[in-house]
Amino acid sequence: MTDYNAVNFRILLIEDEPAEANLVKMALRENKIQCHLHHVTDGLEALEFLRNGNSENAEFQSPDIILLDVNMPRMNGQEFLTEIKSDINLSYIPVIVFSSADSESEISTSYQLGAVSHIIKPTDMAAFIDTFRIIDAYWFKLTRLPNKPYSDFVSIE
């Protein structure tokens, strides 16, 4: 039987707004979700992290899931999705678009580019926190992800 109280997954958060990143961290803490979280501020930084950022760390493991904002500087979420899904070494990582972008065309584009989900960021704090309870229940308790050793991700506690 799996111990869901143990830290058993890694999240890469790609979010350019510090306040939004802090809300994600707070929602993880509020839900007592024990995970390893690494935060970057745009798609270029994320690709650097995934491809080269830990080349000095022989034990580096890729994230189990990526939470991706759409509207970011330098490389936006759609450009990032295009890049990661065309890279055979990274394309298997599930990407959840977590954005305020709620137009039908943006949602359709997320799926066409390979996102496994498109979640619209709630504006209500209670709903925001509840969203992460649901993400935890689905992605880390129900869904089977590969079991890999941990890297240098920061623990949220």
Side-chain angles (χ1 to χ4, degrees):
M1 178 162 199
T2 304
D3 177 8
Y4 292 116
N5 293 321
V7 174
N8 61 353
F9 57 90
R10 297 169 306 279
I11 299 171
L12 173 60
L13 172 63
I14 309 171
E15 172 61 65
D16 64 316
E17 292 293 330
E20 295 285 331
N22 285 333
L23 282 174
V24 169
K25 293 172 186 176
M26 189 246 350
L28 292 168
R29 279 191 301 271
E30 286 291 317
N31 284 293
K32 296 178 177 47
I33 299 170
Q34 295 183 25
C35 64
H36 294 279
L37 178 75
H38 186 80
H39 171 230
V40 296
T41 58
D42 63 43
L44 286 177
E45 190 179 352
L47 287 174
E48 176 68 20
F49 172 76
L50 291 168
R51 291 179 175 156
N52 309 317
N54 285 321
S55 58
E56 70 281 356
N57 182 354
E59 295 184 23
F60 170 76
Q61 294 293 314
S62 59
D64 294 304
I65 201 143
I66 297 172
L67 288 177
L68 173 67
D69 186 26
V70 172
N71 300 311
M72 296 179 293
R74 298 193 321 153
M75 176 184 274
N76 69 34
Q78 292 175 348
E79 295 166 331
F80 173 80
L81 266 172
T82 299
E83 191 70 28
I84 192 173
K85 294 305 176 181
S86 67
D87 185 327
I88 192 154
N89 295 313
L90 302 173
S91 62
Y92 69 93
I93 304 170
V95 178
I96 297 173
V97 173
F98 187 64
S99 178
S100 55
D102 66 352
S103 76
E104 187 60 38
S105 66
E106 289 175 329
I107 293 168
S108 293
T109 299
S110 293
Y111 286 105
Q112 289 169 350
L113 295 175
V116 295
S117 183
H118 185 111
I119 299 172
I120 298 168
K121 290 178 185 173
T123 55
D124 173 74
M125 182 60 74
F128 195 96
I129 291 168
D130 197 46
T131 297
F132 278 85
R133 181 192 57 77
I134 295 166
I135 289 171
D136 176 50
Y138 180 78
W139 281 104
F140 304 116
K141 292 182 180 163
L142 182 61
T143 302
R144 176 87 169 127
L145 295 170
N147 186 18
K148 299 177 185 175
Y150 302 112
S151 67
D152 65 339
F153 283 64
V154 178
S155 183
I156 296 294
E157 296 178 23

Coordinates of all heavy atoms in Angstrom, one line a residue, residues 69-156:
D69 N 2.0 28.4 -16.4 CA 1.2 29.6 -16.8 C 1.4 29.8 -18.3 O 2.3 29.4 -18.9 CB 1.8 30.7 -16.0 CG 1.0 32.0 -16.1 OD1 -0.3 31.9 -16.4 OD2 1.5 33.1 -16.0
V70 N 0.4 30.5 -18.9 CA 0.4 30.8 -20.3 C 1.1 32.1 -20.6 O 2.0 32.1 -21.5 CB -1.0 30.7 -20.9 CG1 -0.9 31.2 -22.4 CG2 -1.6 29.4 -20.8
N71 N 0.8 33.1 -19.9 CA 1.3 34.5 -20.2 C 2.5 34.8 -19.4 O 2.4 35.1 -18.3 CB 0.2 35.5 -20.0 CG -1.1 35.3 -20.8 OD1 -1.0 35.1 -22.0 ND2 -2.2 35.2 -20.2
M72 N 3.7 34.7 -20.1 CA 4.9 34.9 -19.5 C 5.9 35.6 -20.5 O 5.7 35.5 -21.7 CB 5.6 33.6 -19.1 CG 4.8 32.8 -18.0 SD 5.6 31.3 -17.6 CE 5.5 30.4 -19.1
P73 N 6.9 36.3 -20.0 CA 7.8 37.0 -20.8 C 8.8 35.9 -21.4 O 8.8 34.8 -21.0 CB 8.6 37.9 -19.9 CG 8.5 37.3 -18.6 CD 7.1 36.6 -18.5
R74 N 9.6 36.3 -22.4 CA 10.6 35.6 -23.1 C 10.1 34.4 -23.8 O 10.2 34.3 -25.0 CB 11.8 35.2 -22.1 CG 12.5 36.4 -21.6 CD 13.8 36.1 -20.9 NE 13.8 34.9 -20.1 CZ 15.0 34.2 -19.9 NH1 16.1 34.6 -20.4 NH2 14.9 33.1 -19.1
M75 N 9.5 33.4 -23.1 CA 8.9 32.2 -23.8 C 7.6 31.9 -23.1 O 7.6 31.6 -21.9 CB 9.8 31.0 -23.7 CG 9.2 29.7 -24.3 SD 10.2 28.3 -24.2 CE 11.2 28.4 -25.6
N76 N 6.5 32.1 -23.8 CA 5.2 31.9 -23.1 C 4.9 30.4 -23.0 O 5.6 29.6 -23.5 CB 4.1 32.7 -23.8 CG 3.8 32.2 -25.2 OD1 3.8 31.0 -25.5 ND2 3.4 33.1 -26.1
G77 N 3.8 30.1 -22.4 CA 3.4 28.7 -22.1 C 3.2 27.9 -23.4 O 3.5 26.8 -23.5
Q78 N 2.6 28.5 -24.4 CA 2.3 27.8 -25.7 C 3.7 27.5 -26.4 O 3.8 26.4 -26.9 CB 1.4 28.6 -26.6 CG 0.0 28.7 -26.0 CD -0.9 29.6 -26.8 OE1 -0.5 30.4 -27.7 NE2 -2.2 29.5 -26.5
E79 N 4.6 28.4 -26.3 CA 5.9 28.2 -26.9 C 6.6 27.1 -26.1 O 7.3 26.2 -26.7 CB 6.7 29.5 -26.9 CG 6.2 30.5 -27.9 CD 6.8 31.9 -27.6 OE1 7.2 32.2 -26.5 OE2 6.8 32.7 -28.6
F80 N 6.5 27.1 -24.8 CA 7.1 26.1 -24.0 C 6.5 24.7 -24.3 O 7.3 23.7 -24.5 CB 6.9 26.4 -22.5 CG 7.4 25.3 -21.6 CD1 8.8 25.1 -21.3 CD2 6.5 24.4 -21.1 CE1 9.2 24.1 -20.5 CE2 6.9 23.3 -20.3 CZ 8.3 23.2 -20.0
L81 N 5.2 24.6 -24.4 CA 4.6 23.4 -24.7 C 5.0 22.8 -26.0 O 5.3 21.6 -26.2 CB 3.0 23.5 -24.8 CG 2.3 23.2 -23.5 CD1 0.8 23.6 -23.6 CD2 2.4 21.8 -23.1
T82 N 5.1 23.7 -27.0 CA 5.6 23.3 -28.4 C 7.0 22.7 -28.2 O 7.3 21.6 -28.8 CB 5.6 24.4 -29.3 OG1 4.3 24.9 -29.5 CG2 6.1 24.0 -30.7
E83 N 7.9 23.3 -27.5 CA 9.3 22.9 -27.3 C 9.4 21.6 -26.6 O 10.1 20.7 -27.0 CB 10.0 24.0 -26.7 CG 11.5 23.8 -26.7 CD 12.2 24.0 -28.0 OE1 11.6 24.7 -28.9 OE2 13.2 23.4 -28.2
I84 N 8.7 21.5 -25.4 CA 8.8 20.3 -24.6 C 8.2 19.1 -25.3 O 8.8 18.0 -25.2 CB 8.3 20.5 -23.2 CG1 8.7 19.4 -22.2 CG2 6.8 20.7 -23.2 CD1 8.3 19.6 -20.8
K85 N 7.1 19.2 -25.9 CA 6.5 18.1 -26.6 C 7.2 17.6 -27.8 O 7.0 16.5 -28.3 CB 5.0 18.4 -26.8 CG 4.2 18.6 -25.6 CD 4.3 17.4 -24.6 CE 3.6 17.5 -23.3 NZ 3.7 16.4 -22.4
S86 N 8.1 18.4 -28.3 CA 8.9 18.0 -29.5 C 10.3 17.4 -29.1 O 11.0 17.0 -29.9 CB 9.1 19.2 -30.5 OG 10.0 20.2 -29.8
D87 N 10.5 17.4 -27.8 CA 11.8 16.9 -27.2 C 11.5 15.5 -26.7 O 10.8 15.3 -25.6 CB 12.3 17.8 -26.1 CG 13.7 17.4 -25.6 OD1 14.0 16.2 -25.5 OD2 14.4 18.3 -25.2
I88 N 12.1 14.5 -27.3 CA 11.8 13.1 -26.9 C 12.2 12.8 -25.5 O 11.6 11.9 -24.8 CB 12.5 12.1 -27.9 CG1 12.0 10.7 -27.6 CG2 14.0 12.2 -27.7 CD1 12.0 9.8 -28.8
N89 N 13.2 13.5 -24.9 CA 13.6 13.3 -23.6 C 12.7 14.0 -22.5 O 12.8 13.7 -21.3 CB 15.0 13.8 -23.4 CG 16.0 13.1 -24.2 OD1 16.0 11.8 -24.2 ND2 16.9 13.8 -24.9
L90 N 11.8 14.9 -23.0 CA 11.0 15.6 -22.0 C 9.5 15.4 -22.3 O 8.6 15.7 -21.5 CB 11.3 17.1 -22.1 CG 12.7 17.5 -21.7 CD1 13.0 19.0 -22.0 CD2 13.1 17.1 -20.3
S91 N 9.1 14.9 -23.5 CA 7.7 14.9 -23.9 C 6.8 14.1 -23.1 O 5.6 14.3 -23.1 CB 7.6 14.5 -25.4 OG 8.1 13.2 -25.5
Y92 N 7.3 13.2 -22.3 CA 6.5 12.3 -21.5 C 6.0 13.0 -20.2 O 5.1 12.5 -19.6 CB 7.3 11.0 -21.1 CG 8.4 11.3 -20.1 CD1 8.2 11.2 -18.8 CD2 9.6 11.7 -20.6 CE1 9.2 11.5 -17.9 CE2 10.6 12.1 -19.7 CZ 10.4 11.9 -18.3 OH 11.4 12.3 -17.5
I93 N 6.6 14.1 -19.8 CA 6.2 14.8 -18.6 C 4.8 15.4 -18.7 O 4.6 16.2 -19.6 CB 7.2 15.9 -18.2 CG1 8.6 15.3 -18.1 CG2 6.8 16.5 -16.9 CD1 9.7 16.3 -17.9
P94 N 3.9 15.1 -17.9 CA 2.5 15.7 -18.0 C 2.6 17.2 -17.7 O 3.2 17.6 -16.7 CB 1.7 15.0 -16.9 CG 2.5 13.8 -16.5 CD 3.9 14.1 -16.8
V95 N 2.0 18.0 -18.5 CA 1.9 19.4 -18.3 C 0.5 19.8 -18.1 O -0.4 19.6 -18.9 CB 2.5 20.2 -19.5 CG1 2.4 21.7 -19.3 CG2 3.9 19.8 -19.8
I96 N 0.2 20.5 -16.9 CA -1.1 21.1 -16.6 C -0.9 22.6 -16.8 O -0.1 23.2 -16.2 CB -1.5 20.8 -15.2 CG1 -1.7 19.3 -14.9 CG2 -2.8 21.6 -14.8 CD1 -1.9 19.0 -13.4
V97 N -1.7 23.1 -17.8 CA -1.8 24.5 -17.9 C -2.6 25.1 -16.8 O -3.8 24.6 -16.6 CB -2.3 24.9 -19.3 CG1 -2.5 26.4 -19.4 CG2 -1.4 24.4 -20.4
F98 N -2.0 26.0 -16.0 CA -2.7 26.5 -14.9 C -2.6 28.1 -15.1 O -1.6 28.7 -14.8 CB -2.0 26.1 -13.6 CG -2.7 26.5 -12.3 CD1 -4.0 26.0 -12.0 CD2 -2.1 27.4 -11.4 CE1 -4.7 26.4 -10.9 CE2 -2.8 27.8 -10.3 CZ -4.1 27.3 -10.0
S99 N -3.7 28.6 -15.6 CA -3.6 30.0 -16.1 C -4.9 30.7 -16.0 O -6.0 30.1 -15.9 CB -3.2 29.9 -17.6 OG -3.2 31.2 -18.1
S100 N -4.9 32.0 -16.0 CA -6.1 32.8 -16.0 C -6.7 32.9 -17.4 O -7.8 33.3 -17.6 CB -5.9 34.2 -15.5 OG -4.8 34.8 -16.2
A101 N -5.9 32.4 -18.4 CA -6.4 32.3 -19.8 C -7.6 31.4 -19.9 O -7.5 30.2 -19.7 CB -5.3 31.9 -20.7
D102 N -8.7 32.0 -20.3 CA -9.9 31.2 -20.3 C -10.7 31.3 -21.6 O -11.8 30.8 -21.7 CB -10.9 31.5 -19.1 CG -11.4 32.9 -19.2 OD1 -11.0 33.7 -20.1 OD2 -12.3 33.2 -18.4
S103 N -10.0 31.8 -22.7 CA -10.7 31.8 -24.0 C -10.7 30.4 -24.6 O -9.8 29.6 -24.4 CB -10.0 32.8 -24.9 OG -8.8 32.3 -25.4
E104 N -11.7 30.1 -25.4 CA -11.9 28.8 -26.0 C -10.7 28.5 -26.9 O -10.2 27.4 -26.9 CB -13.2 28.7 -26.8 CG -13.5 27.4 -27.4 CD -13.6 26.3 -26.3 OE1 -14.2 26.6 -25.2 OE2 -13.1 25.2 -26.5
S105 N -10.1 29.5 -27.6 CA -9.0 29.3 -28.4 C -7.7 28.9 -27.6 O -7.0 28.1 -28.0 CB -8.7 30.5 -29.4 OG -8.3 31.6 -28.6
E106 N -7.5 29.6 -26.5 CA -6.4 29.3 -25.7 C -6.5 27.9 -25.0 O -5.5 27.2 -25.0 CB -6.2 30.4 -24.6 CG -5.7 31.7 -25.2 CD -5.7 32.8 -24.1 OE1 -6.4 32.8 -23.2 OE2 -4.8 33.7 -24.3
I107 N -7.7 27.5 -24.6 CA -7.9 26.2 -24.1 C -7.6 25.1 -25.1 O -6.9 24.2 -24.9 CB -9.3 26.1 -23.4 CG1 -9.4 27.0 -22.2 CG2 -9.6 24.7 -23.1 CD1 -10.8 27.2 -21.7
S108 N -8.2 25.3 -26.3 CA -8.0 24.4 -27.4 C -6.5 24.3 -27.8 O -6.0 23.2 -28.0 CB -8.8 24.8 -28.6 OG -10.2 24.7 -28.4
T109 N -5.9 25.4 -27.8 CA -4.4 25.4 -28.1 C -3.6 24.6 -27.1 O -2.7 23.8 -27.5 CB -3.9 26.8 -28.3 OG1 -4.6 27.5 -29.3 CG2 -2.4 26.8 -28.6
S110 N -4.0 24.8 -25.8 CA -3.3 24.0 -24.8 C -3.3 22.5 -25.1 O -2.3 21.8 -25.0 CB -3.9 24.3 -23.4 OG -3.7 25.6 -23.0
Y111 N -4.5 22.0 -25.4 CA -4.7 20.6 -25.6 C -4.0 20.2 -26.9 O -3.4 19.1 -27.0 CB -6.1 20.2 -25.6 CG -6.7 20.2 -24.2 CD1 -7.6 21.2 -23.8 CD2 -6.4 19.1 -23.3 CE1 -8.1 21.2 -22.5 CE2 -6.9 19.1 -22.0 CZ -7.7 20.1 -21.6 OH -8.2 20.1 -20.3
Q112 N -4.1 21.0 -28.0 CA -3.5 20.7 -29.2 C -2.0 20.6 -29.1 O -1.3 19.8 -29.8 CB -3.9 21.7 -30.3 CG -5.3 21.6 -30.7 CD -5.7 22.8 -31.6 OE1 -5.0 23.8 -31.7 NE2 -6.9 22.8 -32.1
L113 N -1.4 21.4 -28.2 CA 0.0 21.4 -28.0 C 0.5 20.3 -27.0 O 1.7 20.2 -26.8 CB 0.5 22.8 -27.6 CG 0.3 23.9 -28.6 CD1 0.7 25.2 -28.0 CD2 1.1 23.6 -29.9
G114 N -0.4 19.5 -26.4 CA 0.0 18.4 -25.6 C -0.2 18.5 -24.1 O 0.2 17.7 -23.4
A115 N -0.9 19.6 -23.7 CA -1.2 19.7 -22.2 C -2.2 18.5 -21.9 O -3.1 18.2 -22.7 CB -1.9 21.0 -21.9
V116 N -2.1 18.0 -20.7 CA -3.0 17.0 -20.2 C -4.2 17.6 -19.5 O -5.2 16.9 -19.3 CB -2.3 16.0 -19.2 CG1 -1.2 15.2 -19.9 CG2 -1.8 16.7 -18.0
S117 N -4.1 18.9 -19.2 CA -5.3 19.5 -18.6 C -5.1 21.0 -18.7 O -3.9 21.5 -18.8 CB -5.3 19.2 -17.1 OG -6.4 19.7 -16.5
H118 N -6.2 21.8 -18.7 CA -6.1 23.2 -18.7 C -7.0 23.7 -17.6 O -8.3 23.5 -17.6 CB -6.6 23.8 -20.0 CG -6.5 25.3 -20.1 ND1 -5.6 25.9 -20.9 CD2 -7.1 26.3 -19.4 CE1 -5.6 27.2 -20.8 NE2 -6.6 27.5 -19.9
I119 N -6.4 24.2 -16.5 CA -7.2 24.6 -15.3 C -7.1 26.1 -15.3 O -6.1 26.7 -15.3 CB -6.6 24.0 -14.0 CG1 -6.7 22.5 -14.1 CG2 -7.3 24.6 -12.8 CD1 -6.0 21.8 -13.0
I120 N -8.3 26.7 -15.1 CA -8.4 28.2 -15.0 C -8.2 28.5 -13.5 O -8.8 28.0 -12.7 CB -9.7 28.7 -15.6 CG1 -9.8 28.4 -17.0 CG2 -9.8 30.2 -15.3 CD1 -11.2 28.6 -17.6
K121 N -7.2 29.4 -13.3 CA -6.9 29.8 -11.9 C -8.1 30.5 -11.3 O -8.7 31.4 -11.8 CB -5.8 30.9 -11.9 CG -4.4 30.4 -12.3 CD -3.4 31.5 -12.3 CE -2.1 31.0 -12.8 NZ -1.1 32.2 -12.9
P122 N -8.5 29.9 -10.2 CA -9.7 30.5 -9.4 C -9.2 31.9 -8.9 O -8.1 32.1 -8.5 CB -10.0 29.5 -8.3 CG -9.3 28.3 -8.7 CD -8.1 28.7 -9.5
T123 N -10.2 32.8 -8.8 CA -9.9 34.1 -8.2 C -10.3 34.1 -6.7 O -9.8 35.0 -6.0 CB -10.7 35.2 -8.9 OG1 -12.1 34.9 -9.0 CG2 -10.2 35.4 -10.4
D124 N -11.1 33.2 -6.3 CA -11.5 33.1 -4.9 C -10.4 32.2 -4.2 O -10.1 31.2 -4.6 CB -12.9 32.5 -4.8 CG -13.3 32.1 -3.4 OD1 -13.6 33.1 -2.7 OD2 -13.3 30.9 -3.0
M125 N -10.0 32.7 -3.0 CA -8.9 32.0 -2.3 C -9.3 30.6 -1.9 O -8.5 29.7 -2.0 CB -8.5 32.8 -1.0 CG -7.4 32.2 -0.2 SD -5.9 32.0 -1.2 CE -5.3 33.7 -1.2
A126 N -10.5 30.4 -1.4 CA -11.0 29.1 -1.0 C -11.0 28.1 -2.2 O -10.6 27.0 -2.1 CB -12.4 29.1 -0.3
A127 N -11.5 28.6 -3.3 CA -11.5 27.8 -4.5 C -10.1 27.5 -5.0 O -9.8 26.4 -5.5 CB -12.3 28.5 -5.6
F128 N -9.2 28.5 -4.9 CA -7.8 28.2 -5.3 C -7.2 27.1 -4.5 O -6.6 26.2 -5.0 CB -7.0 29.5 -5.1 CG -5.7 29.6 -5.8 CD1 -5.5 30.2 -7.0 CD2 -4.5 29.0 -5.2 CE1 -4.3 30.2 -7.6 CE2 -3.3 29.1 -5.8 CZ -3.2 29.6 -7.0
I129 N -7.4 27.2 -3.2 CA -6.9 26.1 -2.3 C -7.5 24.8 -2.6 O -6.8 23.7 -2.7 CB -7.1 26.5 -0.8 CG1 -6.2 27.7 -0.4 CG2 -6.8 25.3 0.1 CD1 -6.5 28.3 0.9
D130 N -8.8 24.8 -2.8 CA -9.5 23.5 -3.2 C -9.0 22.9 -4.5 O -9.0 21.7 -4.6 CB -11.0 23.8 -3.2 CG -11.8 22.5 -3.1 OD1 -11.5 21.6 -2.3 OD2 -12.7 22.3 -3.9
T131 N -8.7 23.8 -5.4 CA -8.1 23.3 -6.7 C -6.9 22.4 -6.5 O -6.8 21.3 -7.1 CB -7.8 24.5 -7.6 OG1 -9.0 25.2 -7.9 CG2 -7.1 24.0 -8.9
F132 N -6.1 22.8 -5.5 CA -4.9 22.0 -5.3 C -5.2 20.7 -4.5 O -4.5 19.7 -4.7 CB -3.8 22.8 -4.6 CG -3.0 23.6 -5.6 CD1 -3.5 24.8 -6.1 CD2 -1.9 23.1 -6.2 CE1 -2.9 25.5 -7.0 CE2 -1.3 23.8 -7.2 CZ -1.7 25.0 -7.6
R133 N -6.3 20.7 -3.7 CA -6.7 19.5 -3.1 C -7.1 18.5 -4.2 O -6.8 17.3 -4.1 CB -7.9 19.7 -2.2 CG -8.4 18.5 -1.4 CD -9.7 18.7 -0.7 NE -10.8 19.2 -1.6 CZ -11.4 18.4 -2.5 NH1 -11.2 17.1 -2.6 NH2 -12.4 18.9 -3.2
I134 N -7.8 19.0 -5.2 CA -8.3 18.1 -6.3 C -7.1 17.7 -7.2 O -7.0 16.5 -7.6 CB -9.3 18.9 -7.1 CG1 -10.6 19.1 -6.3 CG2 -9.7 18.1 -8.4 CD1 -11.6 20.1 -6.9
I135 N -6.2 18.6 -7.5 CA -5.0 18.2 -8.2 C -4.2 17.1 -7.5 O -3.8 16.1 -8.1 CB -4.1 19.4 -8.5 CG1 -4.7 20.3 -9.5 CG2 -2.7 18.9 -9.0 CD1 -4.0 21.7 -9.7
D136 N -4.1 17.2 -6.2 CA -3.4 16.2 -5.4 C -4.1 14.9 -5.4 O -3.5 13.8 -5.7 CB -3.3 16.7 -3.9 CG -2.7 15.7 -3.0 OD1 -1.6 15.1 -3.3 OD2 -3.3 15.4 -1.9
A137 N -5.4 14.9 -5.2 CA -6.2 13.7 -5.2 C -6.1 13.0 -6.6 O -5.9 11.8 -6.6 CB -7.7 14.0 -4.9
Y138 N -6.2 13.7 -7.7 CA -6.2 13.1 -9.0 C -4.8 12.7 -9.4 O -4.5 11.5 -9.7 CB -6.8 14.0 -10.1 CG -6.8 13.3 -11.4 CD1 -7.7 12.4 -11.7 CD2 -5.8 13.6 -12.4 CE1 -7.7 11.7 -13.0 CE2 -5.8 13.0 -13.6 CZ -6.7 12.1 -13.9 OH -6.6 11.4 -15.1
W139 N -3.8 13.6 -9.4 CA -2.5 13.4 -10.0 C -1.6 12.6 -9.1 O -0.7 11.9 -9.6 CB -1.8 14.7 -10.4 CG -2.4 15.1 -11.7 CD1 -3.3 16.2 -11.9 CD2 -2.2 14.6 -13.0 NE1 -3.6 16.2 -13.3 CE2 -3.0 15.3 -13.9 CE3 -1.4 13.5 -13.5 CZ2 -3.0 15.0 -15.3 CZ3 -1.4 13.2 -14.8 CH2 -2.2 14.0 -15.7
F140 N -1.7 12.7 -7.8 CA -0.8 12.1 -6.9 C -1.3 11.0 -6.0 O -0.6 10.3 -5.4 CB -0.1 13.1 -6.1 CG 0.6 14.2 -7.0 CD1 0.2 15.5 -7.0 CD2 1.6 13.8 -7.9 CE1 0.7 16.4 -7.8 CE2 2.1 14.7 -8.8 CZ 1.7 16.0 -8.8
K141 N -2.6 10.8 -6.1 CA -3.2 9.7 -5.3 C -3.9 8.7 -6.3 O -3.8 7.5 -6.0 CB -4.2 10.2 -4.3 CG -3.4 10.9 -3.2 CD -4.3 11.4 -2.1 CE -3.4 12.2 -1.0 NZ -4.2 13.0 -0.2
L142 N -4.5 9.1 -7.3 CA -5.3 8.3 -8.2 C -4.4 7.8 -9.4 O -4.4 6.7 -9.8 CB -6.5 9.0 -8.7 CG -7.5 8.2 -9.6 CD1 -8.0 6.9 -8.9 CD2 -8.6 9.0 -10.0
T143 N -3.7 8.8 -10.0 CA -3.0 8.5 -11.2 C -1.6 7.9 -10.9 O -1.0 8.2 -9.9 CB -2.7 9.9 -12.0 OG1 -3.9 10.5 -12.3 CG2 -1.9 9.6 -13.2
R144 N -1.2 6.9 -11.6 CA 0.0 6.2 -11.4 C 1.1 7.0 -12.2 O 1.0 7.1 -13.4 CB -0.1 4.8 -11.9 CG 1.2 4.0 -11.8 CD 1.3 3.4 -10.4 NE 2.4 2.4 -10.5 CZ 3.4 2.4 -9.7 NH1 3.5 3.3 -8.7 NH2 4.4 1.6 -9.8
L145 N 2.1 7.5 -11.5 CA 3.3 8.1 -12.1 C 4.5 7.3 -11.9 O 4.6 6.5 -10.9 CB 3.5 9.5 -11.5 CG 2.3 10.5 -11.8 CD1 2.5 11.8 -11.0 CD2 2.3 10.9 -13.3
P146 N 5.5 7.4 -12.7 CA 6.8 6.7 -12.5 C 7.4 7.0 -11.2 O 7.3 8.1 -10.7 CB 7.7 7.2 -13.6 CG 6.8 7.9 -14.6 CD 5.6 8.3 -13.9
N147 N 8.0 5.9 -10.6 CA 8.6 6.1 -9.3 C 10.1 6.4 -9.6 O 10.8 5.5 -10.0 CB 8.5 4.8 -8.5 CG 9.0 5.0 -7.1 OD1 9.3 6.1 -6.6 ND2 9.3 3.9 -6.4
K148 N 10.6 7.6 -9.2 CA 11.9 8.0 -9.5 C 12.5 8.6 -8.2 O 11.8 9.1 -7.4 CB 12.0 9.1 -10.6 CG 11.4 8.6 -11.9 CD 11.4 9.8 -12.9 CE 10.8 9.4 -14.2 NZ 10.7 10.5 -15.1
P149 N 13.9 8.5 -8.1 CA 14.5 9.2 -7.0 C 14.3 10.7 -7.1 O 14.1 11.2 -8.1 CB 16.0 8.7 -7.0 CG 16.1 8.2 -8.4 CD 14.8 7.8 -8.9
Y150 N 14.5 11.4 -6.0 CA 14.3 12.8 -5.9 C 15.6 13.6 -6.3 O 16.7 13.1 -6.1 CB 13.8 13.2 -4.5 CG 12.5 12.5 -4.2 CD1 12.5 11.6 -3.2 CD2 11.4 12.7 -5.0 CE1 11.3 10.8 -3.0 CE2 10.2 12.0 -4.7 CZ 10.2 11.1 -3.7 OH 9.1 10.4 -3.5
S151 N 15.4 14.8 -6.7 CA 16.5 15.7 -7.1 C 16.6 16.7 -6.0 O 16.3 16.6 -4.9 CB 16.2 16.2 -8.4 OG 15.1 17.1 -8.4
D152 N 17.0 17.9 -6.5 CA 17.3 19.0 -5.6 C 16.0 19.9 -5.5 O 16.2 21.1 -5.1 CB 18.5 19.8 -6.1 CG 18.2 20.5 -7.4 OD1 17.3 20.0 -8.1 OD2 18.9 21.5 -7.7
F153 N 14.9 19.4 -5.7 CA 13.7 20.2 -5.6 C 13.5 20.6 -4.1 O 13.9 19.9 -3.2 CB 12.4 19.4 -6.0 CG 12.3 19.3 -7.5 CD1 13.2 18.6 -8.3 CD2 11.2 19.9 -8.1 CE1 13.0 18.5 -9.6 CE2 11.0 19.8 -9.5 CZ 12.0 19.1 -10.3
V154 N 12.9 21.8 -3.9 CA 12.7 22.3 -2.6 C 11.4 21.7 -2.0 O 10.4 21.6 -2.6 CB 12.5 23.8 -2.6 CG1 12.2 24.4 -1.2 CG2 13.8 24.4 -3.2
S155 N 11.5 21.2 -0.8 CA 10.3 20.6 -0.1 C 9.4 21.7 0.4 O 9.9 22.7 1.0 CB 10.8 19.7 1.1 OG 9.7 19.1 1.7
I156 N 8.1 21.5 0.2 CA 7.1 22.5 0.7 C 6.6 21.9 2.0 O 5.9 20.9 2.0 CB 6.0 22.6 -0.3 CG1 6.5 23.3 -1.6 CG2 4.8 23.5 0.3 CD1 7.0 24.7 -1.5

